[in-house]
């Protein structure tokens, strides 16, 4: 029988994450939305708490660093760190997405390290906060088009990186930046590797911070890599350019992180729905689960339709995380979850603003902010269109060259 309840061992973690969201994130949500680029110092002590959840436990934790795939050993099914991380993120994003993205040591780069690093690298970068730099001015959705180069200097045993990176979440605040660069542009995808660069490296120059529509608590940086030297042992994964494997190594990160992106959207969607349900109830609109939507008020029927979308997004997200925990190939499910959850989040947030009228649009409540925050969840880590493209390729058995 399929059991769709939260696994018992994760109940305390979900409870803790919800408490953090309610008691720490929500009260400072508006403040850091208005003070864009100010560092939310309240998060420092929380990061230590999350570290505590991650350490010494096979349950993973509530942060993005927990998404490593490990062998079950016994061949049985299990709920592991991918599931616990997604559950934690759903709760924290119920609180505030921008603040979740600002949590020290829980960056996208941490997920990349957790996903691809060898044991020695994992140990060396433990406890550091890592951002992820893929996007460039000429390469967004098409990450295979990146131009940043990495050339091995045999004399010093260092890679020399040159290029430009934009839209790096936590780029200003992180200790490390995981940079995608190509060893040989003529070879294509197989030559793209990820390199861990210390933020203090003089060759990694912060160019600017972006001003944004939403998630303003989260800093978004642009960098110039100018003869940036990194030790050869900072290359994540294999240095071999294996054209038979294509993009495999670096893309593996996304199979683990897209369920997390989907989880962010699920958390924010639930926040919108819960507040809207309360406001509707206070306005005298009851949602009745025992009657068909068509026989209820238009507002109640719309609410029920949104809840159904939310539930579908949530289940897809949990499925993708569960597959990662059980070492099953989940590219298809990860993209399905991200596509459904991202689209649902944007759609639900805007419909909730509409249903709640002036209360939804004003700054007294957080709905208008959530509607702005929602958009990024259908954009970063692959836009809606890109997720649909990946899904189509998988279902039709087409390569990226055959279906663009
Ligand atoms: C706040 C924020 C934070 C970010 N954080 C990070 C980060 O930490 N690290 C990082 O590396 N990047 C990050 N990004 C970058 C993000 O991942 C890219 O913006 C995203 O991948 C889209 O790339 P683009 O902006 O260049 O858009 P484009 O690729 O130029 O796309 C423009 C439009 O065309 C559509 N499109 C493109 N190609 C196709 C196609 N083949 N078929 C159909 N439609 C298509 C897209 O869906 C989109 O609607 C961040 C972006 C933002 C806004």
């Amino acid at each position: 029988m399929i059991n769709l309840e939260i696994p018992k061992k994760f109940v305390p973690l979900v409870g803790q994450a919800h408490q953090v969201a309610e008691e720490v994130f929500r009260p400072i949500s508006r403040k850091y939305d208005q003070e864009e680029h100010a560092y939310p110092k309240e998060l420092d002590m929380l990061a230590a708490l999350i570290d505590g959840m991650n350490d010494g436990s096979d349950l993973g934790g509530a942060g993005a660093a927990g998404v490593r795939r490990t062998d079950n050993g016994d061949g049985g099914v299990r709920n592991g760190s991918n599931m616990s991380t997604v559950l934690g993120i759903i709760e924290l994003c119920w609180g505030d997405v921008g603040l979740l993205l600002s949590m020290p040591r829980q960056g996208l780069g941490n997920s990349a390290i957790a996903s691809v690093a060898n044991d020695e690298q994992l140990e060396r970068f433990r406890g550091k906060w890592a951002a992820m730099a893929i996007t460039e001015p000429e390469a967004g959705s098409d990450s295979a088009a990146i131009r940043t180069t990495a050339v091995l200097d045999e004399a010093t045993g260092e890679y020399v990186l040159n290029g430009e990176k934009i839209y790096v979440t936590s780029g200003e605040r992180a200790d490390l930046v995981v940079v995608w660069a190509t060893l040989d542009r003529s070879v294509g995808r197989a030559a793209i590797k990820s390199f861990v660069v210390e933020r203090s490296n003089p060759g990694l120059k912060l160019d600017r911070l972006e001003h944004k529509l939403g998630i303003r608590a989260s800093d978004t940086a642009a960098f110039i890599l100018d003869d940036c030297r990194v030790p050869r042992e900072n290359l994540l994964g294999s240095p071999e350019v294996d054209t038979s494997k294509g993009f495999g190594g670096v893309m593996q990160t996304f199979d683990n992180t897209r369920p997390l992106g989907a989880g962010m959207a699920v958390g924010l969607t639930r926040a919108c729905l819960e507040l809207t349900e309360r406001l509707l109830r206070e306005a005298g609109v009851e949602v009745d689960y025992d009657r068909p939507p068509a026989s209820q008020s238009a507002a109640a029927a719309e609410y029920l339709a949104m809840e159904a979308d939310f539930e579908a997004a949530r289940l897809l997200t949990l499925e993708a995380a569960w597959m990662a925990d059980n070492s099953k190939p989940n590219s298809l499910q990860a993209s399905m979850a991200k596509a459904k959850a991202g689209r649902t989040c944007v759609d639900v947030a805007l419909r909730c603003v509409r249903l709640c009228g002036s209360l939804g649009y004003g700054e007294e409540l957080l709905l208008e902010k959530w509607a702005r925050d929602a958009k990024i969840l259908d954009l970063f880590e692959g836009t809606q269109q890109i997720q649909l493209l990946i899904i189509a390729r998988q279902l039709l058995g087409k390569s990226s060259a055959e279906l663009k």
Side-chain angles (χ1 to χ4, degrees), residues 108 132-136 139-142 166-169 212 215 220 376 379-386 389 404:
L108 201 52
M132 182 90 175
I134 303 169
T135 307
E136 300 178 0
S141 296
D142 184 9
I166 58 171
Y167 280 95
V168 183
T169 297
K212 310 189 297 291
I215 57 159
T220 311
I376 191 61
L379 198 167
F380 66 6
E381 282 200 67
T383 62
Q384 176 69 214
Q385 292 75 18
I386 295 304
L389 191 58
K404 294 184 180 178

Side-chain angles (χ1 to χ4, degrees), residues 34-356:
Q34 287 169 344
E35 294 175 17
E36 192 173 20
H37 300 159
Y39 176 63
K41 52 190 179 314
E42 292 86 345
L43 301 186
D44 282 342
M45 61 114 179
L46 274 181
L49 187 88
I50 301 273
D51 289 345
M53 290 185 194
N54 286 339
D55 280 351
S57 135
D58 66 346
L59 303 184
V67 293
R68 192 164 177 83
R69 290 187 182 211
T70 46
D71 192 5
N72 292 352
D74 59 3
V77 296
R78 70 170 193 173
N79 292 305
S81 60
N82 288 277
M83 182 62 81
S84 67
T85 303
V86 136
L87 290 172
I89 279 178
I90 290 174
E91 294 309 315
L92 292 170
C93 286
W94 175 91
D96 191 292
V97 177
L99 291 171
L100 176 274
L101 290 168
S102 307
M103 290 281 282
R105 297 184 285 286
Q106 304 303 330
L108 201 52
N110 291 100
S111 303
I113 292 171
S115 302
V116 198
N118 60 35
D119 290 346
E120 182 275 323
Q121 291 169 328
L122 201 62
E123 195 48 44
R124 195 150 42 92
F125 301 128
R126 185 179 296 281
K128 299 268 180 93
W129 183 358
M132 182 90 175
I134 303 169
T135 307
E136 300 178 0
E138 303 299 327
S141 296
D142 184 9
S143 43
I146 61 166
R147 295 175 179 192
T148 297
T149 51
V151 177
L152 183 63
D153 181 345
E154 295 282 359
T156 63
E158 295 166 315
Y159 285 102
V160 184
L161 273 51
N162 279 290
E164 195 179 341
K165 293 289 173 185
I166 58 171
Y167 280 95
V168 183
T169 297
S170 303
E172 190 199 20
R173 299 170 187 164
D175 308 306
L176 308 170
V177 182
V178 177
V179 174
W180 279 27
T182 172
L183 293 173
D184 182 352
R185 277 200 77 193
S186 67
V187 177
R189 292 157 194 268
I192 295 177
K193 303 286 173 184
S194 44
F195 300 82
V196 180
V197 183
E198 295 278 346
R199 205 22 212 94
S200 55
N201 188 316
L204 181 70
K205 296 176 179 157
L206 179 70
D207 189 41
R208 63 178 186 279
L209 293 178
E210 305 293 349
H211 293 278
K212 310 189 297 291
L213 172 74
I215 57 159
R216 291 185 178 158
S218 164
D219 66 309
T220 311
F223 290 104
I224 308 289
L225 290 129
D226 182 11
D227 282 339
C228 179
R229 293 182 162 267
V230 298
R232 69 193 309 168
E233 53 274 17
N234 281 21
L235 184 153
L236 295 175
S238 164
E240 298 306 318
V241 177
D242 182 349
T243 42
S244 67
K245 284 200 176 149
F247 230 5
V250 280
M251 284 312 238
Q252 203 180 318
T253 310
F254 286 131
D255 295 345
N256 289 353
T257 57
R258 282 185 176 144
L260 306 187
M264 292 177 202
V266 169
L268 180 51
T269 306
R270 202 181 85 209
C272 295
L273 286 172
E274 281 182 16
L275 178 54
T276 300
E277 194 274 334
R278 177 168 70 83
L279 295 176
L280 288 177
R281 196 164 12 93
E282 287 170 5
V285 177
E286 287 292 339
V287 178
D288 185 347
Y289 290 90
D290 293 329
R291 283 195 296 136
S295 67
Q296 301 188 43
S297 69
E302 183 158 4
Y303 183 85
L304 285 165
M306 291 193 294
E307 241 190 11
D309 265 342
F310 160 76
E311 197 58 32
R314 192 178 78 90
L315 292 176
L316 282 169
T317 302
L318 297 184
E319 181 190 24
W322 182 89
M323 292 178 80
D325 270 341
N326 289 279
S327 300
K328 294 181 186 297
N330 72 337
S331 300
L332 174 65
Q333 289 76 10
S335 283
M336 282 180 165
K338 175 78 171 47
K340 177 69 182 174
R343 190 172 61 227
T344 298
C345 187
V346 174
D347 182 43
V348 165
L350 286 174
R351 286 162 84 180
C352 287
V353 166
R354 177 168 49 75
L355 278 173
C356 297

